[in-house]
């Protein structure tokens, strides 16, 4: 295993007027999974499910409240300063919003030089590395003299990809890398990810609320809901045989060009404004929305279990 | 008979910076029929929002109508006075925006916003209006409206907020509802509910919907006819089934081939489109605007483009229609 997450929890606290801690918001709970060398692992879930927080932990930008993250068998949050820096050098992150992650006063060349300088790359090698990476992401030499605002969304995303890959990291986390892009440009960037993966020795984590992106790029997938892993399996099995009721709902809900138009979609008034019983009673967080719930779902909390080989599910129907 | 006729609509925008006029809408022609759902699809910056807003005569300061008309009940909306248009807005034609936060009043409770809209267009007592508001919230499937009625918009989730918006938009029995990306900011599960809700109204409430979206899946599942826009122009329009299953325009074809599609067991992106949409002041004007990105261009394409009728209810703007087949 390249990475192994063990029982990772992350709670965010707001300080109130009396500087007392509130109950906290549990963004991630009991996260446990491994990433193998060369995996492209997809993380899907709704807004606020904890995807970005998980991604940030995996590149060391955020510290879990409890639990461990092993990288090549050593806990990255227990590394010496020097080793932690080495770890961070071998990883990279593409942010959700490519525009706000650039300094608007820097030209593309400087944007690409910055990681090289911080990474201590010798002056003489820098220009060659820039030339190589811009060719790989499909930018032109002229583009190096321009500012971010002079580019379209897709080109900016290419710049962001170039910046994140210029130091040849081993592991890349891409947070919603195409969600702000137009259809045609989205297709271009997805193909670019494929090409880059084929040409390099990268391992990747792709975070997206869009199932089709994950189905397209990833060999393994994880479905997050309210900070919990609900289902984890090879992408093929998740899409061919989704086991968790939430995963099924996600797949059914995605609009598709190839669906039956005549089919009537039934409306479910599940977005209730009422305080949720599941949260108070520590039950399955999907309880209120679940169409397949059983009597026992009101009694105990589902632990995640392996239902088929390499296919884990958190649902009492399988226990 | 069409309910709404947009004819030869050209809208110019002036840019201080470039000291230049550009056509943000260029010779747009289409009709909206009674009780139909019409989709407007296109990439960001193609002019969808501007088009949707012009139908309510909401034209920004730097914009100027160059030509054309928008006929609604034998009147040209573009020629109405501000007083006349205010009576149409919200009553005959309602609009739902992408971000309900920006159209709901942040300092008014849900109850007050609905009551205000009702009283602006109908002569009713406040207590009756509150009663109607409760029913409207039930209509948009908020199961316990009393819990929502006294809340402020920021206290509600995105999906509930959008339902409140929809409740307001249908409150005066409009003939046309314009929904500009009503679900883009929402999770797919919530999106599915909102769309099912709007679709459900089609059977009971008699209105036509103009649904603006960049998601071809949403358009496929929810509209009867569709208009495909690019660079302020209509590239293709017709029945949704015809346009999306048998596209005649290289741009429509390109959009469709950009979507990952199952071939056997694997998802594949077949072709896609190279490049990206230019910004407004670089829209090509005297040639086909799609030419710089088109794989099927010939010398013929170096001249001004025209939208041509190719069938009953089927229009295409291309000199090499269906060239990719
Ligand atoms: N620094 C922070 N302080 C307080 N709460 C936070 C912080 N970062 C994240 N959260 C909360 O943690 C939860 C998970 O956040 P995260 O951004 O990881 O979710 P996400 O699934 O990626 O959502 P989105 O798709 O909107 O980006 C959310 O409820 C979020 O509001
Ligand atoms: N208020 C405005 N001022 C200047 N340009 C604008 C304004 N609104 C839109 N535009 C430009 O007009 C074009 C079409 O915009 P819009 O109708 O918002 O497209 P869409 O809704 O398809 O994203 C774009 O190039 C956009 O940048
Ligand atoms: S545990 Fe029960 S409520 Fe939760 S997803 Fe499974 S069946 Fe539904
Ligand atoms: S007119 Fe020519 S350039 Fe334009 S879409 Fe048709 S073939 Fe392509
Ligand atoms: Mg996020
Ligand atoms: Mg828009």
């Amino acid at each position: 295993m390249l990475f192994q997450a063990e029982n990772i929890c992350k709670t965010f606290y707001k300080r109130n007027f009396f500087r007392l801690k509130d109950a906290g918001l549990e963004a991630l709970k009991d996260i446990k999974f491994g990433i193998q060398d060369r995996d492209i692992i997809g993380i899907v879930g709704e807004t606020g499910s904890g995807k970005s927080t998980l991604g940030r932990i995996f590149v060391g930008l955020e510290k879990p409240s409890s639990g461990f993250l092993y990288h090549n068998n050593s806990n990255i949050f227990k590394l010496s300063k020097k080793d932690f820096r080495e770890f961070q050098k071998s990883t990279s992150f593409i942010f959700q919003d490519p525009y706000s992650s650039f300094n608007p006063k820097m030209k593309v060349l400087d944007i690409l030089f910055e990681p090289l300088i911080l990474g201590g790359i010798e002056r003489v090698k820098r220009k060659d590395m820039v030339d190589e990476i811009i060719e790989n992401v499909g930018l032109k030499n002229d583009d190096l003299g321009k500012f971010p605002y002079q580019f379209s969304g897709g080109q900016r995303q290419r710049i962001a990809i170039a910046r994140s890959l210029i130091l040849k990291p081993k592991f890349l986390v891409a947070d919603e890398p195409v969600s702000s892009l137009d259809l045609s440009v989205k297709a271009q960037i997805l193909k670019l990810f494929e090409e880059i993966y084929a040409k390099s020795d990268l391992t990747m984590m792709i975070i997206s609320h869009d199932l089709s992106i994950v189905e397209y790029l990833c060999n393994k997938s994880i479905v997050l809901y309210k900070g919990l892993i609900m289902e984890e399996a090879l992408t093929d099995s998740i899409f061919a045989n989704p086991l968790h009721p939430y995963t099924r709902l996600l797949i059914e809900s995605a609009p598709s060009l190839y669906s039956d138009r005549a089919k009537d979609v039934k409306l479910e008034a599940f977005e209730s404004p009422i305080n949720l019983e599941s949260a108070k009673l520590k039950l399955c967080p999907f309880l209120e929305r679940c169409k397949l719930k059983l009597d026992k779902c009101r009694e105990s909390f589902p632990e995640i279990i392996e239902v088929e080989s390499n296919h884990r599910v958190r649902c009492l129907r399988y226990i | 008979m069409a309910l709404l006729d947009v004819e030869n609509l050209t809208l110019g925008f002036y840019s201080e910076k470039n000291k230049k006029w550009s056509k943000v809408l260029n010779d747009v022609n289409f009709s909206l029929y009674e009780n139909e759902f019409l989709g407007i699809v296109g990439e960001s910056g193609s002019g969808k929002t501007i088009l949707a807003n012009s139908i309510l005569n909401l034209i920004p300061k730097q914009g100027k109508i160059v030509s054309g008309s928008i006929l609604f009940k034998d009147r040209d909306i573009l020629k109405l006075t501000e007083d006349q248009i205010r009576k149409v807005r919200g009553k005959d034609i309602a609009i739902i925006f992408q971000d309900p936060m920006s159209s709901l009043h942040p300092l008014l409770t849900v109850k007050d916003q609905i009551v205000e809209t009702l009283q602006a267009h109908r002569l009713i007592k406040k207590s009756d209006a509150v009663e109607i508001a409760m029913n409207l919230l039930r209509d948009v499937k908020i199961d316990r409206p009393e819990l929502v009625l006294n809340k402020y918009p920021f206290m509600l989730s995105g999906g509930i907020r959008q339902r409140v918006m929809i409740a307001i938009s249908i409150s005066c029995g409009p003939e046309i509802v314009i929904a500009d990306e009503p679900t883009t900011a929402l999770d797919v599960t919530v999106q599915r509910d909102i769309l099912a809700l709007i679709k459900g109204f089609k059977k009971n409430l008699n209105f036509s919907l103009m649904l603006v979206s960049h998601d071809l899946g949403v358009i496929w599942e929810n509209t009867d006819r569709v208009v495909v826009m690019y660079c302020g122009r209509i590239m293709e329009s017709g029945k949704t089934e015809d346009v999306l299953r048998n596209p005649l325009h290289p741009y429509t074809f390109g959009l469709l081939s950009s979507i990952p599609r199952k071939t056997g067991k694997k998802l594949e992106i077949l072709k896609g489109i190279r490049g990206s949409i230019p910004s407004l002041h670089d829209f090509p004007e005297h040639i086909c605007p799609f030419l710089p990105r088109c794989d099927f261009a010939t010398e013929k394409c170096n001249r001004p483009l025209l939208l041509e009728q190719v069938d009953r209810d089927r229009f295409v703007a291309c000199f090499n229609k269906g060239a990719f087949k």
Side-chain angles (χ1 to χ4, degrees):
Chain A
M1 286 289 170
L2 181 64
F3 283 99
Q4 183 66 46
E6 289 292 345
N7 313 92
I8 288 181
C9 298
K10 178 75 192 180
T11 308
F12 292 106
Y13 295 100
K14 282 197 301 271
R15 304 267 166 180
N16 64 17
F17 182 74
F18 300 103
R19 300 187 168 274
L20 296 169
K21 278 184 174 181
D22 60 2
L25 187 147
E26 293 183 284
L28 290 173
K29 287 173 256 185
D30 194 27
I31 298 292
K32 201 190 271 191
F33 67 95
I35 300 180
Q36 268 160 340
D37 205 26
R38 295 294 278 161
D39 271 346
I40 307 181
I41 191 153
I43 312 287
V44 286
E46 312 185 341
T47 310
S49 58
K51 306 180 298 294
S52 304
T53 306
L54 184 65
R56 286 198 300 271
I57 288 176
F58 267 77
V59 289
L61 288 173
E62 190 104 61
K63 236 180 134 164
S65 315
S66 63
F68 311 97
L69 178 60
Y70 297 99
H71 173 248
N72 292 327
N73 297 320
S74 42
N75 183 353
I76 65 161
F77 297 102
K78 290 273 158 59
L79 295 175
S80 68
K81 266 218 176 89
K82 182 170 152 287
D83 288 343
F84 185 70
R85 220 173 296 131
E86 279 306 308
F87 163 75
Q88 282 206 311
K89 241 197 239 171
S90 73
T91 64
S92 195
F93 195 89
I94 298 177
F95 294 92
Q96 198 156 342
D97 176 4
Y99 195 56
S100 64
S101 69
F102 295 128
N103 176 344
K105 295 200 180 108
M106 277 165 83
K107 290 185 177 155
V108 174
L109 183 67
D110 300 320
I111 289 173
L112 295 178
F113 263 173
E114 194 175 54
L116 297 177
I117 296 165
L118 295 176
I121 303 290
E122 290 166 64
R123 207 171 277 265
V124 290
K125 289 191 188 153
R126 290 179 197 164
K127 188 66 176 69
D128 284 344
M129 291 176 78
V130 168
D131 289 342
E132 188 189 333
I133 197 73
I134 62 165
E135 166 150 16
N136 282 339
V137 301
L139 288 168
K140 293 189 287 286
N141 235 306
D142 300 351
D143 295 335
L144 292 173
K146 296 189 194 159
F147 293 97
Y149 73 85
Q150 293 173 292
F151 293 92
S152 67
Q155 287 171 310
R156 269 181 224 141
Q157 198 57 292
R158 289 179 195 270
I159 299 167
I161 294 172
R163 175 177 62 181
S164 68
L165 294 180
I166 195 163
L167 283 174
K168 298 199 166 42
K170 292 261 184 251
F171 178 63
L172 174 72
V173 174
D175 190 358
E176 303 278 6
V178 295
S179 60
S180 60
L181 303 177
D182 268 326
L183 208 53
S184 62
V185 180
K186 194 179 281 190
Q188 294 163 12
I189 300 291
L190 289 178
K191 285 184 172 177
L192 177 62
F193 269 107
E194 274 185 315
E195 268 169 42
I196 286 171
Y197 176 77
K199 271 198 267 186
S200 65
D201 59 356
L202 268 177
T203 301
M204 298 200 271
M205 177 185 281
I206 306 286
I207 295 172
S208 179
H209 67 277
D210 183 342
L211 294 167
S212 69
I213 308 283
V214 165
E215 188 179 4
Y216 183 74
L217 285 176
C218 305
N219 66 320
K220 285 183 192 161
S221 304
I222 286 179
V223 180
L224 275 189
Y225 185 73
K226 298 205 173 160
L228 285 166
I229 294 182
M230 290 301 192
E231 184 158 2
E232 181 202 346
L234 296 178
T235 305
D236 290 344
S237 14
I238 288 216
F239 284 91
N241 181 25
L243 295 177
H244 198 283
Y246 176 60
T247 314
R248 288 185 193 166
L249 178 69
L250 274 182
I251 293 175
E252 276 167 30
S253 302
S256 159
L257 249 181
Y258 304 101
S259 63
D260 175 10
R261 271 157 48 93
K263 174 188 76 184
D264 246 344
V265 183
K266 277 219 206 59
L267 187 76
E268 295 147 44
F270 50 52
E271 228 198 333
S272 168
I274 308 160
N275 276 342
L276 297 180
E277 176 192 27
S278 59
K280 276 181 289 181
L281 301 175
K282 290 224 178 312
L283 298 171
C284 168
F286 192 57
L287 182 68
E288 283 82 2
R289 298 172 64 179
C290 186
K291 281 185 286 185
L292 302 169
K293 56 179 157 278
L294 306 169
D295 287 343
K296 61 181 172 182
C297 303
R298 299 194 185 284
E299 283 149 24
S300 56
F301 180 80
E303 296 301 331
I304 190 161
I305 55 157
E306 184 149 348
V307 174
E308 289 163 17
S309 79
N310 293 317
H311 199 146
R312 296 195 303 145
V313 184
R314 183 188 295 281
C315 172
L316 292 169
R317 296 190 78 85
Y318 301 94
I319 293 176
Chain B
M1 239 284 282
L3 188 57
L4 185 87
D5 265 313
V6 177
E7 285 173 1
N8 308 101
L9 181 63
T10 298
L11 178 65
F13 261 21
Y14 187 71
S15 149
E16 274 304 329
K17 204 174 130 231
N18 301 317
K19 302 269 176 258
K20 184 180 168 210
W21 282 92
S22 309
K23 291 177 179 165
V24 62
L25 294 177
N26 194 338
D27 200 22
V28 171
N29 281 282
F30 72 92
S31 302
L32 179 67
Y33 298 99
E34 258 169 49
N35 203 22
E36 79 163 346
F37 281 16
L38 173 73
I40 309 282
V41 69
E43 295 179 286
S44 128
S46 54
K48 307 181 296 298
T49 299
I50 299 283
L51 176 61
N53 290 348
S54 344
I55 291 172
L56 285 169
N57 206 354
L58 295 166
I59 291 161
K61 283 198 301 292
Q62 72 273 44
K64 203 178 99 194
I65 303 286
V66 178
S67 66
S69 56
I70 299 177
L71 294 176
F72 174 62
K73 293 185 169 171
D74 302 326
R75 292 197 297 179
D76 185 352
I77 288 185
L78 299 174
K79 298 219 171 76
L80 298 184
T81 62
E82 191 49 38
D83 268 353
Q84 290 171 317
I85 190 74
R86 215 171 297 135
K87 286 194 193 114
V88 173
R89 249 179 241 153
K91 182 166 182 299
D92 298 320
I93 307 180
I95 189 158
I96 305 169
F97 295 99
Q98 171 169 352
D99 176 13
M101 253 338 234
S102 64
S103 40
L104 291 172
H105 194 299
L107 299 178
L108 288 182
T109 62
V110 169
K111 182 171 79 191
D112 292 343
Q113 328 227 1
I114 303 182
V115 167
E116 196 170 84
T117 312
L118 285 168
Q119 290 193 315
H121 295 290
R122 283 156 68 172
L123 275 171
I124 39 175
K125 282 201 310 253
K126 174 135 192 212
S127 58
D128 290 342
V130 174
E131 186 65 37
I132 297 174
M134 287 279 271
N135 286 331
L136 282 166
L137 291 179
R138 274 188 207 107
D139 287 345
V140 294
K141 302 285 186 279
I142 293 177
D143 31 343
R144 303 204 19 213
E146 69 278 9
L147 294 177
V148 170
L149 222 42
N150 290 314
K151 293 224 161 65
Y152 292 92
F154 76 90
M155 300 161 100
L156 305 169
S157 72
I160 299 276
R161 238 182 256 148
Q162 199 55 294
R163 286 181 201 212
V164 170
M165 228 4 254
I166 293 171
I168 293 175
S169 75
I170 59 169
S171 62
C172 295
E175 292 179 56
I176 299 176
V177 175
I178 299 171
D180 188 0
E181 311 254 9
T183 55
T184 303
L186 304 173
D187 285 317
V188 282
T189 53
V190 181
Q191 160 168 290
R192 170 183 181 271
D193 264 19
I194 298 280
L195 292 173
L197 182 69
I198 296 178
K199 229 177 160 176
F201 285 144
K202 193 178 181 182
K203 296 191 190 113
N204 322 318
L205 309 174
N206 199 33
F207 64 76
S208 301
L209 177 78
M210 223 173 104
L211 179 65
V212 175
S213 176
H214 62 268
D215 186 328
L216 287 168
V218 167
I219 294 289
W220 172 253
E221 290 178 358
N222 296 286
T223 64
D224 308 306
R225 287 197 310 129
V226 62
V227 168
V228 182
M229 289 193 71
Y230 186 71
C231 291
R233 287 172 166 278
I234 293 184
M235 295 282 118
E236 178 160 17
S237 71
K239 285 214 174 62
T240 304
E241 257 165 37
D242 295 340
V243 173
L244 298 187
R245 283 297 181 258
N246 181 22
L248 291 174
H249 198 287
Y251 179 59
T252 317
F253 174 73
L255 285 180
L256 288 164
S257 68
S258 299
I259 296 175
R261 181 178 181 173
K262 272 243 159 63
T263 49
K265 260 181 121 182
K266 226 188 115 29
L267 270 190
E268 270 183 287
I269 292 177
L270 298 171
K271 193 158 182 309
I273 311 176
R274 61 195 150 84
S276 56
I277 186 169
S279 52
L280 175 59
H281 297 287
D282 298 322
F283 282 5
E285 253 194 56
H286 304 292
I287 57 168
C288 165
F290 192 54
L291 195 145
R293 304 177 68 189
C294 184
D295 287 337
F296 308 96
T298 56
E299 298 105 69
K300 282 199 271 188
C301 311
N302 272 311
R303 58 192 161 114
L305 197 61
L306 266 183
L307 187 66
E308 279 176 64
Q309 181 156 21
V310 297
D311 204 340
R312 229 189 116 230
D313 198 27
R314 188 81 195 268
F315 296 82
V316 184
C318 171
F319 298 114
N320 297 313
K321 299 175 190 66
F324 40 84
K325 284 189 198 166

